[in-house]
Amino acid sequence: MEIRSWLSEAKKQIDALDAELIALDVFAPRQMDRCWLVSHNVVKITTEMQRLADKMVQKRVKGVPLAYILGEKEFYGRKFEVNESVLIPRPETETLIDLIKGLPLPKQPKILEVGTGSGCIAITLALEYPQAQVLAVDLSKRALDTAFINNVLHEGRVGLVQSNLLRDLFLEDENREAEHYDVLVANLPYVDPAWEWLDRQTLDFEPKKALYAKGNGGLSLYQRMLKEIRHHQKAGHLWLDYLVVEADPSQHYRLIEMAHRAGFFHLKTEGFGVVFEDGWRYWWDDAKRDFVHKPEEVLQWELENGIIHLLPEEVAQKKRLGEW
């Protein structure tokens, strides 16, 4: 059978683009684009190739996502390995990368991702910030195995740790200094199983533990994470500058309320992404009757000394006494 004949039959069963991508994966040399199919459409394929391609088509007919069939998905211009143990990277999640790149981060930012899955967010940030120190955690060992493969494929600069949110990061170890992260980014499970508009036929192929969160309208895991962050901050174990998360737009109002109670200020919302700044970076200005951003010199001094000032007058008094 020639490639054009196989494509003609495959396109009767599945979307034309899906058929062409399967043909490229099975029949073409690596790194070829769809133009190769046009210039090689009379090339004959082996019986083994045809059987493999036909099997992939039947999986697609049954609704298996193409990314799982091909074993890869593009994210922020780079290809990542995916399988049934991780969510398929989605275009809306790329917004998190853009939001983080819009923050005033240092040249060597320290970044923590909670719930890394395939590792596409953490690895992308490590590549976008070549001098960054990036740590990514996930509860699922199978997901971490996939993230490890992707990490190796993309320079291997991300540290990977198995942890239930922040629980297993040893933040309470008395022999360790308090951890400071410029950004904590998270795309935790937030899909409420009760939503009536869900496309269950597609979502049923993806890992349920990585998708669904029962309770609090799908925000139960974010609620837990915020509580853990707050606990470690009060104990002096953890300092954050920014928190960047993904959630459905219908959840944003509730999420912003939760984050505010945990001491975060809402900075920006774009698409599915929401950006917060930690409240320790603000203080109360009595003249303006509002919270205002602390000067950078104050933020740096507080971070180095482990002391938070709530009022500008506190710093002014320390300066007068020569204590600051």
Side-chain angles (χ1 to χ4, degrees):
M1 177 179 283
E2 296 176 347
I3 290 177
R4 61 183 178 184
S5 299
W6 183 89
L7 276 172
S8 177
E9 291 300 318
K11 289 178 180 180
K12 295 176 183 178
Q13 302 178 66
I14 61 175
D15 180 80
L17 177 58
D18 290 354
E20 291 177 7
L21 291 175
I22 289 174
L24 275 177
D25 187 70
V26 179
F27 309 143
R30 298 296 293 174
Q31 307 304 321
M32 292 293 105
D33 60 23
R34 289 158 63 199
C35 294
W36 184 92
L37 294 174
V38 176
S39 59
H40 294 76
N41 63 355
V42 295
V43 171
K44 294 186 181 298
I45 58 176
T46 66
T47 302
E48 184 178 353
M49 284 182 173
Q50 182 180 342
R51 286 175 180 170
L52 176 58
D54 288 345
K55 186 177 180 180
M56 296 167 76
V57 167
Q58 290 310 306
K59 286 184 178 181
R60 191 71 191 98
V61 169
K62 294 176 181 178
V64 178
L66 186 65
Y68 288 155
I69 296 172
L70 300 179
E72 64 180 22
K73 180 69 175 178
E74 185 173 294
F75 181 82
Y76 217 76
R78 303 177 179 96
K79 288 186 177 180
F80 290 85
E81 180 170 313
V82 295
N83 51 55
E84 288 80 358
S85 66
V86 298
L87 290 184
I88 299 169
R90 287 164 166 78
E92 55 264 30
T93 303
E94 295 181 351
T95 304
L96 299 184
I97 307 297
D98 292 331
L99 288 171
I100 291 172
K101 289 174 69 175
L103 296 173
L105 301 182
K107 291 183 179 180
Q108 299 176 315
K110 192 173 179 182
I111 300 171
L112 171 65
E113 185 192 6
V114 179
T116 193
S118 66
C120 63
I121 295 174
I123 294 167
T124 298
L125 289 171
L127 294 170
E128 295 295 315
Y129 291 91
Q131 299 182 60
Q133 180 180 343
V134 184
L135 176 66
V137 304
D138 202 287
L139 176 62
S140 167
K141 185 180 183 304
R142 290 184 63 200
L144 286 173
D145 289 341
T146 304
F148 176 83
I149 294 171
N150 284 320
N151 194 29
V152 172
L153 291 173
H154 294 285
E155 300 185 10
R157 295 185 47 249
V158 175
L160 297 168
V161 175
Q162 187 174 15
S163 178
N164 188 346
L165 298 181
L166 306 181
R167 187 178 301 172
D168 305 307
L169 292 180
F170 304 104
L171 293 173
E172 298 182 358
D173 190 337
E174 295 180 357
N175 297 319
R176 292 178 58 179
E177 295 183 1
E179 291 282 1
H180 169 250
Y181 290 98
D182 296 284
V183 179
L184 189 157
V185 57
N187 181 14
L188 299 177
Y190 59 78
V191 176
D192 187 342
W195 287 345
E196 296 180 355
W197 62 85
L198 290 180
D199 182 6
R200 297 185 184 277
Q201 187 174 2
T202 300
L203 294 179
D204 279 351
F205 289 95
E206 299 191 65
K208 291 180 172 54
K209 288 186 178 180
L211 268 176
Y212 299 108
K214 294 182 180 179
N216 202 5
L219 293 174
S220 55
L221 286 176
Y222 279 120
Q223 186 175 35
R224 263 188 57 201
M225 186 181 73
L226 287 167
K227 287 181 178 179
E228 290 184 13
I229 291 171
R230 191 64 173 156
H231 165 75
H232 289 298
Q233 287 178 325
K234 285 184 175 180
H237 305 144
L238 180 66
W239 294 67
L240 296 179
D241 290 353
Y242 299 98
L243 174 65
V244 181
V245 300
E246 177 180 312
D248 189 87
S250 66
Q251 300 168 312
H252 286 176
Y253 181 80
R254 173 65 176 153
L255 182 61
I256 291 169
E257 282 188 329
M258 288 164 46
H260 182 72
R261 287 199 297 270
F264 287 91
F265 285 77
H266 174 230
L267 292 187
K268 186 176 183 179
T269 298
E270 184 175 326
F272 282 64
V274 190
V275 183
F276 302 96
E277 188 169 11
D278 204 321
W280 75 270
R281 296 168 60 83
Y282 291 77
W283 57 17
W284 179 259
D285 187 315
D286 203 44
K288 295 183 178 180
R289 305 300 299 170
D290 197 5
F291 287 97
V292 298
H293 206 273
K294 296 175 182 176
E296 287 300 321
E297 61 174 357
V298 174
L299 294 173
Q300 187 61 35
W301 187 93
E302 291 181 340
L303 188 59
E304 292 174 354
N305 291 273
I307 299 172
I308 297 177
H309 296 95
L310 301 179
L311 300 170
E313 292 77 10
E314 295 176 355
V315 171
Q317 183 179 10
K318 285 182 179 288
K319 284 183 175 181
R320 287 194 296 269
L321 297 174
E323 298 175 359
W324 192 87

PDB file of all heavy atoms in Angstrom, residues 113-126:
ATOM      1  N   GLU A 113       7.607  24.189  41.793  1.00  0.00           N
ATOM      2  CA  GLU A 113       6.328  23.798  41.205  1.00  0.00           C
ATOM      3  C   GLU A 113       5.727  22.666  42.021  1.00  0.00           C
ATOM      4  O   GLU A 113       6.387  21.662  42.289  1.00  0.00           O
ATOM      5  CB  GLU A 113       6.458  23.329  39.751  1.00  0.00           C
ATOM      6  CG  GLU A 113       5.075  23.053  39.165  1.00  0.00           C
ATOM      7  CD  GLU A 113       5.071  22.323  37.840  1.00  0.00           C
ATOM      8  OE1 GLU A 113       6.147  21.899  37.375  1.00  0.00           O
ATOM      9  OE2 GLU A 113       3.974  22.147  37.280  1.00  0.00           O
ATOM     10  N   VAL A 114       4.468  22.825  42.394  1.00  0.00           N
ATOM     11  CA  VAL A 114       3.748  21.811  43.163  1.00  0.00           C
ATOM     12  C   VAL A 114       2.755  21.127  42.232  1.00  0.00           C
ATOM     13  O   VAL A 114       1.888  21.780  41.645  1.00  0.00           O
ATOM     14  CB  VAL A 114       3.026  22.437  44.368  1.00  0.00           C
ATOM     15  CG1 VAL A 114       2.266  21.361  45.139  1.00  0.00           C
ATOM     16  CG2 VAL A 114       4.023  23.137  45.286  1.00  0.00           C
ATOM     17  N   GLY A 115       2.878  19.801  42.094  1.00  0.00           N
ATOM     18  CA  GLY A 115       2.017  19.045  41.192  1.00  0.00           C
ATOM     19  C   GLY A 115       2.513  19.105  39.762  1.00  0.00           C
ATOM     20  O   GLY A 115       1.794  19.529  38.859  1.00  0.00           O
ATOM     21  N   THR A 116       3.741  18.639  39.528  1.00  0.00           N
ATOM     22  CA  THR A 116       4.401  18.874  38.243  1.00  0.00           C
ATOM     23  C   THR A 116       3.894  18.003  37.104  1.00  0.00           C
ATOM     24  O   THR A 116       3.991  18.375  35.941  1.00  0.00           O
ATOM     25  CB  THR A 116       5.924  18.709  38.386  1.00  0.00           C
ATOM     26  OG1 THR A 116       6.568  19.225  37.232  1.00  0.00           O
ATOM     27  CG2 THR A 116       6.318  17.248  38.608  1.00  0.00           C
ATOM     28  N   GLY A 117       3.360  16.808  37.378  1.00  0.00           N
ATOM     29  CA  GLY A 117       2.871  15.951  36.299  1.00  0.00           C
ATOM     30  C   GLY A 117       3.982  15.578  35.339  1.00  0.00           C
ATOM     31  O   GLY A 117       5.006  15.015  35.725  1.00  0.00           O
ATOM     32  N   SER A 118       3.831  15.940  34.077  1.00  0.00           N
ATOM     33  CA  SER A 118       4.836  15.628  33.057  1.00  0.00           C
ATOM     34  C   SER A 118       6.103  16.454  33.217  1.00  0.00           C
ATOM     35  O   SER A 118       7.109  16.171  32.562  1.00  0.00           O
ATOM     36  CB  SER A 118       4.261  15.860  31.664  1.00  0.00           C
ATOM     37  OG  SER A 118       4.000  17.242  31.463  1.00  0.00           O
ATOM     38  N   GLY A 119       6.040  17.479  34.056  1.00  0.00           N
ATOM     39  CA  GLY A 119       7.199  18.350  34.259  1.00  0.00           C
ATOM     40  C   GLY A 119       7.283  19.490  33.272  1.00  0.00           C
ATOM     41  O   GLY A 119       8.248  20.268  33.301  1.00  0.00           O
ATOM     42  N   CYS A 120       6.284  19.646  32.402  1.00  0.00           N
ATOM     43  CA  CYS A 120       6.402  20.631  31.321  1.00  0.00           C
ATOM     44  C   CYS A 120       6.533  22.064  31.833  1.00  0.00           C
ATOM     45  O   CYS A 120       7.280  22.865  31.246  1.00  0.00           O
ATOM     46  CB  CYS A 120       5.237  20.501  30.347  1.00  0.00           C
ATOM     47  SG  CYS A 120       3.614  20.828  31.049  1.00  0.00           S
ATOM     48  N   ILE A 121       5.861  22.414  32.928  1.00  0.00           N
ATOM     49  CA  ILE A 121       5.954  23.785  33.450  1.00  0.00           C
ATOM     50  C   ILE A 121       7.325  24.034  34.043  1.00  0.00           C
ATOM     51  O   ILE A 121       8.017  25.007  33.699  1.00  0.00           O
ATOM     52  CB  ILE A 121       4.851  24.047  34.491  1.00  0.00           C
ATOM     53  CG1 ILE A 121       3.473  23.984  33.855  1.00  0.00           C
ATOM     54  CG2 ILE A 121       5.057  25.405  35.154  1.00  0.00           C
ATOM     55  CD1 ILE A 121       2.320  24.095  34.840  1.00  0.00           C
ATOM     56  N   ALA A 122       7.753  23.167  34.960  1.00  0.00           N
ATOM     57  CA  ALA A 122       9.038  23.356  35.636  1.00  0.00           C
ATOM     58  C   ALA A 122      10.195  23.333  34.647  1.00  0.00           C
ATOM     59  O   ALA A 122      11.109  24.168  34.720  1.00  0.00           O
ATOM     60  CB  ALA A 122       9.221  22.271  36.700  1.00  0.00           C
ATOM     61  N   ILE A 123      10.166  22.383  33.716  1.00  0.00           N
ATOM     62  CA  ILE A 123      11.253  22.263  32.743  1.00  0.00           C
ATOM     63  C   ILE A 123      11.286  23.472  31.817  1.00  0.00           C
ATOM     64  O   ILE A 123      12.361  24.003  31.501  1.00  0.00           O
ATOM     65  CB  ILE A 123      11.106  20.953  31.949  1.00  0.00           C
ATOM     66  CG1 ILE A 123      11.317  19.755  32.883  1.00  0.00           C
ATOM     67  CG2 ILE A 123      12.085  20.898  30.785  1.00  0.00           C
ATOM     68  CD1 ILE A 123      10.893  18.422  32.298  1.00  0.00           C
ATOM     69  N   THR A 124      10.117  23.939  31.400  1.00  0.00           N
ATOM     70  CA  THR A 124      10.057  25.132  30.553  1.00  0.00           C
ATOM     71  C   THR A 124      10.635  26.337  31.273  1.00  0.00           C
ATOM     72  O   THR A 124      11.405  27.120  30.695  1.00  0.00           O
ATOM     73  CB  THR A 124       8.608  25.411  30.119  1.00  0.00           C
ATOM     74  OG1 THR A 124       8.127  24.309  29.349  1.00  0.00           O
ATOM     75  CG2 THR A 124       8.516  26.683  29.287  1.00  0.00           C
ATOM     76  N   LEU A 125      10.298  26.495  32.551  1.00  0.00           N
ATOM     77  CA  LEU A 125      10.832  27.626  33.309  1.00  0.00           C
ATOM     78  C   LEU A 125      12.344  27.523  33.466  1.00  0.00           C
ATOM     79  O   LEU A 125      13.063  28.535  33.402  1.00  0.00           O
ATOM     80  CB  LEU A 125      10.157  27.695  34.680  1.00  0.00           C
ATOM     81  CG  LEU A 125       8.690  28.125  34.655  1.00  0.00           C
ATOM     82  CD1 LEU A 125       8.050  27.957  36.033  1.00  0.00           C
ATOM     83  CD2 LEU A 125       8.560  29.582  34.187  1.00  0.00           C
ATOM     84  N   ALA A 126      12.849  26.307  33.657  1.00  0.00           N
ATOM     85  CA  ALA A 126      14.297  26.119  33.763  1.00  0.00           C
ATOM     86  C   ALA A 126      14.991  26.497  32.456  1.00  0.00           C
ATOM     87  O   ALA A 126      16.107  27.029  32.468  1.00  0.00           O
ATOM     88  CB  ALA A 126      14.616  24.680  34.139  1.00  0.00           C
TER      89      ALA A 126
END
